[in-house]
Amino acid sequence: MSFASHVLRRGLATGVGRLAAINHVTVIGGGSMGNGIAQVSAQAGYQVTMVDQSDEILQKSVGIINKSLQRVVKKKFADDPAKGEAFIQGIVGNISTSTDAEKVVANSDLVIEAIIENMDIKKKLFTALDKAAKDTTIFASNTSSLSITEMASVTGRQGLFGGLHFFNPVPIMKLVEVVRTPQTTDDTFDSLFEYCKKVGKTPVNCKDTPGFIVNRLLVPYMIEAVRLVERGDADPRDVDTAMKLGAGYPMGPLELADYVGLDVNKFIIDGWHEKFPDDELFKPSELLNKLVSEGKFGRKTGEGFYKY
């Protein structure tokens, strides 16, 4: 088993001149983010290879893409089923799959990693892929909270490394945060920005700061709502009602925390606290820790701040 394959088995399941044009995109990870990125890339006309640890996972991912495209067809080609089928086949025809990451990236122009949120596993993966990829290949991570700079540090292409933070569900959500490190070259950033536009997204520029833009604002907001409840200042339903009616938000912060996953919120805030222990904004919450320790992660487990 190759080194990259070994890394994937552990972690999946769940100064350069002008750059060459991006034609082939490799997506590492066939989960909800990975298959969504593969879909929008293929829809934009890119040749895409999706990589995961087994053919079974990859076939499931392709099936999810097919179902997503069928929903598009129902709206777009309701009166012309033949044209709708041709639309699906044209996009699916742009997608291939593989369990051999090193072999695939040797011919790829852009590699997007969308695997488990574990820095050690990501760094091992990028170390292996860096040796196999062309010198001009751009690497990007879809991480929502981990340091792009730290990931890039294990490669010899820090200038060709950036973040592409898509949002779930990828085919529907329009935003992508394009993250640049101090070493990311202008050409690399411009290529990533243009790629996002081509796949139909609205890119925004952000430096490599914890949580980038959205999560840097959103996670502390949710955690502060947890602290309100923790202190006994208000109960969850009143907090959510206040923010929906007083601020016009579609969901309250605790409803949102349950939707995102309390375990995910804890993972993010704990990671930031470890790196920035003196920042009060990133201070862990005892109530959040208690709920997670009890297996109450929110919607996905049937109970968090609310029962579902």
Side-chain angles (χ1 to χ4, degrees):
M1 183 188 299
S2 71
F3 180 62
S5 297
H6 177 69
V7 172
L8 290 172
R9 287 197 176 278
R10 290 183 60 204
L12 287 173
T14 27
V16 178
R18 295 297 301 178
L19 300 173
I22 295 173
N23 296 304
H24 184 274
V25 177
T26 294
V27 180
I28 310 289
S32 60
M33 298 304 296
N35 65 55
I37 295 168
Q39 177 184 325
V40 298
S41 298
Q43 280 184 251
Y46 291 106
Q47 293 299 308
V48 180
T49 303
M50 188 165 46
V51 178
D52 212 304
Q53 63 180 342
S54 72
D55 289 326
E56 182 181 359
I57 291 173
L58 289 165
Q59 289 310 305
K60 182 179 179 181
S61 299
V62 172
I64 291 170
I65 292 172
N66 263 296
K67 288 180 180 178
S68 175
L69 292 172
Q70 286 167 7
R71 289 193 289 271
V72 175
V73 164
K74 283 182 180 179
K75 294 180 179 179
K76 199 171 182 179
F77 302 103
D79 299 326
D80 195 338
K83 187 174 286 188
E85 183 61 26
F87 170 81
I88 291 175
Q89 292 307 313
I91 294 168
V92 173
N94 287 339
I95 302 173
S96 60
T97 61
S98 177
T99 57
D100 190 338
E102 290 180 28
K103 182 178 179 181
V104 171
V105 301
N107 296 302
S108 188
D109 304 307
L110 171 62
V111 177
I112 304 174
E113 167 273 312
I115 67 170
I116 187 172
E117 285 285 75
N118 181 297
M119 179 60 82
D120 289 340
I121 292 175
K122 288 180 189 289
K123 286 163 76 171
K124 288 177 182 178
L125 174 66
F126 280 123
T127 297
L129 298 184
D130 186 46
K131 297 172 183 175
K134 298 179 295 185
D135 290 342
T136 56
T137 301
I138 297 173
F139 282 5
S141 174
N142 181 58
T143 183
S144 61
S145 63
L146 300 179
S147 168
I148 302 297
T149 305
E150 185 175 344
M151 288 181 221
S153 70
V154 300
T155 74
R157 64 184 73 226
Q158 295 182 43
L160 290 167
F161 210 115
L164 287 177
H165 181 212
F166 288 81
F167 290 77
N168 196 23
V170 176
I172 295 172
M173 299 294 280
K174 299 295 289 183
L175 181 67
V176 179
E177 292 173 323
V178 184
V179 184
R180 65 187 307 164
T181 75
Q183 292 78 35
T184 305
T185 67
D186 289 342
D187 286 343
T188 297
F189 178 81
D190 291 344
S191 293
L192 292 174
F193 213 79
E194 287 306 311
Y195 159 79
C196 291
K197 290 180 179 179
K198 188 171 179 183
V199 300
K201 303 304 180 185
T202 300
V204 293
N205 175 6
C206 184
K207 292 182 179 180
D208 187 21
T209 186
F212 315 133
I213 297 173
V214 173
N215 282 337
R216 181 60 180 266
L217 296 172
L218 195 60
V219 173
Y221 160 69
M222 288 188 285
I223 295 298
E224 189 57 31
V226 174
R227 292 188 182 114
L228 273 171
V229 175
E230 189 174 79
R231 292 192 301 265
D233 295 338
D235 66 32
R237 199 164 297 282
D238 285 341
V239 170
D240 286 337
T241 299
M243 292 309 295
K244 286 188 287 187
L245 299 184
Y249 287 9
M251 295 177 73
L254 299 170
E255 290 175 306
L256 183 59
D258 273 358
Y259 179 79
V260 171
L262 302 186
D263 56 326
V264 174
N265 279 280
K266 174 176 163 54
F267 173 83
I268 293 172
I269 208 72
D270 285 353
W272 292 352
H273 179 65
E274 184 178 344
K275 293 198 74 169
F276 306 96
D278 297 327
D279 194 324
E280 285 294 315
L281 199 63
F282 303 152
K283 183 180 177 182
S285 158
E286 290 184 11
L287 176 56
L288 181 63
N289 291 344
K290 179 178 182 293
L291 289 170
V292 171
S293 71
E294 294 171 350
K296 298 174 181 177
F297 297 169
R299 282 185 175 272
K300 59 187 169 186
T301 59
E303 185 175 356
F305 284 98
Y306 301 96
K307 289 185 177 180
Y308 300 92

